Amino acid sequence: MSEELGPVRTEVSDGVLVITIDRPDARNAIDTVTAVAVGAAIDRLDADPSLVSGVITGANDTFCAGMDLKAFLAGEKPSIPGRGFAGIVEGPPEKPIIAAVEGYALAGGFEIALACDMIVAAENARFGLPEVKRGLVAAGGGLMRLPERVPYHLAMEWALTGAMISAEQAAAVHLVNRVTAPGGALAGALEIARAIAENGPLAVRATKQIIVESPAWTRAEMFDKQREISLPVRASEDAREGATAFKEKRAPRWTGR
């Protein structure tokens, strides 16, 4: 079943929430209404126990051209409290989310993709942080996340020149997980998202939390911090169900408890 939240469509498929930005006249650029709608979809992903993972994409063969500059000039601020620009860059979901990129993912659009846990890109995808070309700073997390994903000197070059990055270049430095034929990014992202959704939802959420938070842990505290997150999952009904299903050679029936 699909739903529309203004310029954003959502659809549930096998435990996966697909979020589609649909502003074809603006190349899916983000204005305030769109940011609020994306944020609402991310809230739903985190709150709904039947959803295990998510995918965010753009309609009409374009991912997102970034901030809507017309809205910006009109005084809009396309961000929301707690989640930031586009309803995602400062507060990504606690559950895994994958960007499915066709066409342009530029400026804030690239920052949306970088806020995701994985990226699947079509061969025609193009990434870039061209803000410096407009006298602006890429302040939606791109300058902080990009050096974590690609070599430092390459991140510097791309950010300071505002260069356009092809899917081939992105794949060469492992910025994207998979490259598909044009039109195939969403299917590729759904393949990964559904594989995640087959797993224990408590374990999936905790696994992402550990990967995201552990770089800030000291060596002395890291195993204690990990235990705080992992032990409640180990004691859950789902953990017992997983072991029982393995013993009985059947698919597990997760309850999220």
Side-chain angles (χ1 to χ4, degrees), residues 8-252:
V8 172
R9 291 184 280 110
T10 60
E11 185 173 0
V12 175
S13 175
D14 300 323
V16 179
L17 181 66
V18 180
I19 304 166
T20 303
I21 304 168
D22 191 2
R23 297 190 70 214
D25 294 340
R27 294 196 302 170
N28 298 329
I30 305 296
D31 61 0
T32 302
V33 172
T34 308
V36 170
V38 171
I42 298 298
D43 287 344
R44 176 185 175 188
L45 173 61
D46 275 344
D48 189 336
S50 71
L51 300 172
V52 185
S53 59
V55 171
I56 186 166
T57 192
N60 299 97
D61 302 319
T62 294
F63 183 71
C64 175
M67 179 174 64
D68 186 326
L69 293 180
K70 291 181 180 178
F72 168 73
L73 291 172
E76 287 193 27
K77 186 177 181 182
S79 64
I80 62 173
R83 294 210 183 271
F85 172 76
I88 187 173
V89 300
E90 291 182 37
E94 295 175 2
K95 297 176 183 178
I97 188 164
I98 305 167
V101 179
E102 300 273 352
Y104 293 112
L106 299 178
F110 190 14
E111 292 175 310
I112 293 171
L114 288 170
C116 295
D117 302 298
M118 288 160 272
I119 302 174
V120 174
E123 293 170 351
N124 63 355
R126 296 293 182 270
F127 303 90
L129 296 173
E131 281 86 346
V132 289
K133 293 179 177 290
R134 303 170 189 151
L136 297 170
V137 174
L143 300 181
M144 295 177 282
R145 289 189 170 111
L146 188 59
E148 297 176 345
R149 312 293 173 81
V150 303
Y152 172 88
H153 294 98
L154 197 55
M156 274 290 190
E157 178 185 343
W158 289 352
L160 293 175
T161 64
M164 192 85 74
I165 305 147
S166 68
E168 182 181 11
Q169 289 173 293
V173 294
H174 307 293
L175 178 62
V176 302
N177 293 72
R178 298 182 186 180
V179 177
T180 72
L186 178 57
L190 279 170
E191 183 179 354
I192 299 173
R194 286 173 178 147
I196 294 169
E198 291 177 359
N199 300 321
L202 298 177
V204 166
R205 196 166 188 157
T207 296
K208 172 175 174 173
Q209 184 180 356
I210 291 168
I211 291 174
V212 169
E213 295 181 5
S214 60
W217 299 342
T218 66
R219 184 170 294 276
E221 69 182 358
M222 61 184 185
F223 279 97
D224 287 335
K225 291 282 190 181
Q226 180 175 256
R227 273 187 282 271
E228 290 175 11
I229 299 168
S230 64
L231 286 182
V233 178
R234 186 186 181 102
S236 69
E237 292 179 19
D238 273 359
R240 186 168 185 82
E241 166 63 13
T244 302
F246 177 79
K247 179 181 178 181
E248 296 177 355
K249 296 182 173 57
R250 60 171 174 81

